Amino acid sequence: MATEHLGERLRRLRRGAGYSQEELAARAQVSVDVIRKLEQRRKHSARLPTLHSLASGLGVELTALLGDPPGAPSSGEADPPRLVAVRRAIMPPLFASPAEPRGPERLTVALVRAELAHGWTLYHDAEFGPLMETLPGIVEDARLLAAVGSADERAAGQAALGKALQLGGHLAIRLGKTDLALAALERAHQAAADSSDPLLGPMIANSVAWAYQRQARLDDATALAVHAADTVEPHTDTAEGVRVWGGLLMSAATSYARSDDYDTANDMMRTAESATDRLAKLPSSADGKLVSVFNRSSVRIERVRLAVQNERPEEALMLARGMRLSRDTPPSWRTWLLLDVARAHTDMGNAAEAVRALERLRRVAPGWWRQHTAAVTLVRALGDAPSPPPGLGRLAGSLGLTA
């Protein structure tokens, strides 16, 4: 895991670009005092809109500044073999013959959907290594399914291929490979257009908006999410339609918040939260579709995150208080909630509660605990206090740090 402090990373990128602190402040339209405090490690983080501005001023992706740890460690510049296999599955060799189905079993839509469900479970559990092992086969199976059988069978295969490539896009984002992610998502969107699922294209658009956010392309992310939400609105007479529409609304709200328009973002999130009341009253498809994570828990988790990222810790803790998570809330979302609660307590000066939230995260989601540089940042911030709280040493040791 990369444990470089945000300030060290900022200084390295700034010097590499040839800017003084004052020049970067002018380019990013950020206070030079913020830059100084970050580089001197007197400040461990900043509002996400500020980080977006710094990334833009440096001419780098947001991930370069945040220092997302690689999910596929490599000893050199070349991609490791598992990632090469993922690339090959997403972008198969030109003029290659179609792949043969794996194993003796007959390839069916149900089988590929089961493979997809397992792949998404690995993703939400932060099991990126095993996912890299299995994803190429899932994509190959879905691609073959999309090329054989009747028109209806091929359309179902295209839907499976779209979801497989979308999964590849999400994995690539987590590995810090946003260009590969966009290549995967572009192919996923084409597969969605060749399927008979009107919700799949907008779902993939939501993933593209996320990739744009990671590249600090906030205007592009906002426009795409809003447009896709408009196309889904006629389909909100089903629970699946509401979930996809709500997920897009949340995505647009996130982009607004990161563009320093918290009020618009908060209004959109309230609208999304109100829409969750309709889910139990609407018919739901029984065809095994994999749709957006959208329920009252996910909306509230995102509201907590936006409040924390915009330096509103009291509001974040109020939103998180007494929250009961839905059973279908994935570990990845639970992880963000615990991280954000810990950061809010840290910002409020309540170190003991912050350690409690981080310890719970370490226990319930060890895969994500090892992946998040946000955890490193928080543990370091707590360790720099005059009297580090009890239990911090154990957390620091599990991240390879010294409390």
Side-chain angles (χ1 to χ4, degrees), residues 120-131:
W120 281 102
T121 297
L122 290 174
Y123 172 81
H124 284 301
D125 287 345
E127 296 289 347
F128 298 138
L131 178 56

Side-chain angles (χ1 to χ4, degrees), residues 317 341-357 382 389:
L317 292 174
V341 166
R343 179 172 167 183
H345 281 304
T346 301
D347 291 346
M348 295 289 292
N350 193 340
E353 288 298 328
V355 167
R356 216 171 267 120
L382 292 165

Side-chain angles (χ1 to χ4, degrees), residues 253 256-257 260-270 310 312 315:
Y256 275 114
D260 219 6
D261 188 352
Y262 184 78
D263 290 339
T264 297
N266 204 31
D267 286 344
M268 296 180 80
M269 292 301 296
R270 288 176 184 274
N310 284 269
R312 298 167 182 253
E315 182 178 338

Side-chain angles (χ1 to χ4, degrees), residues 8 26 46 71 97 119 148-149 168 206 210 251 266 281 283 295 301 306 332 339 346 354 370 381:
E8 297 166 349
S97 301
V148 298
N206 199 348
W210 179 36
S251 177
N266 204 31
K281 305 171 187 175
N295 51 41
I301 289 169
L306 296 185
S332 52
L339 278 170
T346 301
R370 293 189 296 269

Side-chain angles (χ1 to χ4, degrees), residues 148-159:
V148 298
S150 66
D152 287 346
E153 289 171 333
R154 292 196 303 275
Q158 291 287 355

Side-chain angles (χ1 to χ4, degrees), residues 104-372:
E105 68 276 7
R106 180 176 178 272
L107 199 59
T108 63
V109 172
L111 176 62
V112 176
R113 282 179 176 164
E115 292 177 342
L116 278 168
H118 176 62
W120 281 102
T121 297
L122 290 174
Y123 172 81
H124 284 301
D125 287 345
E127 296 289 347
F128 298 138
L131 178 56
M132 280 191 285
E133 295 281 359
T134 60
L135 182 62
I138 297 173
V139 174
E140 288 174 7
D141 283 353
R143 190 170 277 127
L144 181 64
L145 200 64
V148 298
S150 66
D152 287 346
E153 289 171 333
R154 292 196 303 275
Q158 291 287 355
L161 178 59
K163 288 301 294 183
L165 290 169
Q166 184 190 28
L167 176 56
H170 280 235
L171 174 63
I173 291 172
R174 286 296 179 198
L175 302 182
K177 309 289 185 182
T178 50
D179 287 338
L180 175 61
L182 288 172
L185 295 171
E186 181 180 8
R187 287 163 171 77
H189 196 269
Q190 181 57 57
D194 293 334
S195 77
S196 56
D197 185 351
L199 297 177
L200 183 53
M203 277 191 282
I204 292 165
N206 199 348
S207 300
V208 175
W210 179 36
Y212 286 163
Q213 289 171 356
R214 303 285 280 196
Q215 293 182 326
R217 296 170 57 180
L218 296 177
D219 289 344
D220 292 335
T222 303
L224 178 58
V226 170
H227 172 73
D230 288 343
T231 67
V232 171
E233 201 153 11
H235 302 281
T236 53
D237 55 347
T238 66
E240 287 78 11
V242 171
R243 288 191 179 98
V244 175
W245 178 82
L248 287 161
L249 202 63
M250 289 169 61
S251 177
T254 298
S255 294
Y256 275 114
R258 294 182 180 187
S259 300
D260 219 6
D261 188 352
Y262 184 78
D263 290 339
T264 297
N266 204 31
D267 286 344
M268 296 180 80
M269 292 301 296
R270 288 176 184 274
T271 300
E273 191 162 4
S274 296
T276 61
D277 294 336
R278 300 172 53 201
L279 290 174
K281 305 171 187 175
L282 291 171
S284 182
S285 170
D287 64 359
K289 286 181 181 177
L290 298 169
V291 299
S292 305
V293 176
F294 180 73
N295 51 41
R296 183 167 290 275
S297 296
S298 69
V299 178
R300 186 57 66 92
I301 289 169
E302 189 67 12
R303 290 186 66 189
V304 170
R305 184 187 307 184
L306 296 185
V308 167
Q309 290 173 347
N310 284 269
E311 295 185 344
R312 298 167 182 253
E314 289 181 89
E315 182 178 338
L317 292 174
M318 180 190 69
L319 289 167
R321 191 171 296 121
M323 189 190 306
R324 293 185 178 181
L325 297 181
S326 304
R327 293 177 61 186
D328 57 348
T329 303
S332 52
W333 287 75
R334 295 169 186 264
T335 296
W336 273 117
L337 176 62
L338 290 168
L339 278 170
D340 289 331
V341 166
R343 179 172 167 183
H345 281 304
T346 301
D347 291 346
M348 295 289 292
N350 193 340
E353 288 298 328
V355 167
R356 216 171 267 120
L358 291 173
E359 180 59 38
R360 185 179 174 197
L361 169 58
R362 188 185 68 84
R363 290 197 313 270
V364 304
W368 283 108
W369 172 252
R370 293 189 296 269
Q371 290 289 335
H372 268 293

